[in-house]
Amino acid sequence: SGDPKKEGQPAAPISFSRSLPIERATKGEVLLAFEMNGRTLPPAHGFPLRAVVPGWYGCASVKWLTRALVVTEPFAGFDQTIDYSYWRKGSDGLLRLTPITETEPK
């Protein structure tokens, strides 16, 4: 039905950026996956590379990963601070946008 490398991928490039604190990114269960079940990662699951962050919302497990950076300042991109965030009351009583991270118990 078409090019198997492109099957399951978006029709146009997607710009999406997320970050993880270095303490979380270096935990043993966090992976950069290029294979699944011993085979090349299929495009529908994130070929060529996918971050896998167990216990965090799916937006942290970025598909179609093409670049990873280590930075010294907190990342403040749109997908990190606006789109995938919620309002949380701080200790001063003011509401602040807070990035979603770990999944909440149900």
Side-chain angles (χ1 to χ4, degrees), residues 41-96:
L41 191 65
H45 290 282
F47 175 87
L49 191 64
R50 179 181 188 161
V52 179
V53 186
W56 279 37
Y57 285 95
C59 59
S61 294
V62 178
K63 290 182 177 182
W64 310 297
L65 189 59
T66 58
R67 183 169 64 159
L69 303 171
V70 177
V71 296
T72 57
E73 297 296 321
F75 177 68
F78 177 81
D79 300 305
Q80 182 77 23
T81 57
I82 304 294
D83 203 23
Y84 289 92
S85 57
Y86 63 98
W87 292 100
R88 184 164 112 186
K89 191 181 287 190
S91 58
D92 57 5
L94 298 176
L95 292 175
R96 290 191 173 75

Side-chain angles (χ1 to χ4, degrees), residues 16-66:
F16 183 84
S17 301
R18 287 288 297 183
S19 71
L20 297 172
I22 195 74
E23 306 81 42
R24 179 66 179 151
T26 55
K27 287 197 174 204
E29 68 268 15
V30 174
L31 305 172
L32 291 177
F34 59 92
E35 289 185 332
M36 185 170 86
N37 299 324
R39 303 186 114 162
T40 300
L41 191 65
H45 290 282
F47 175 87
L49 191 64
R50 179 181 188 161
V52 179
V53 186
W56 279 37
Y57 285 95
C59 59
S61 294
V62 178
K63 290 182 177 182
W64 310 297
L65 189 59
T66 58

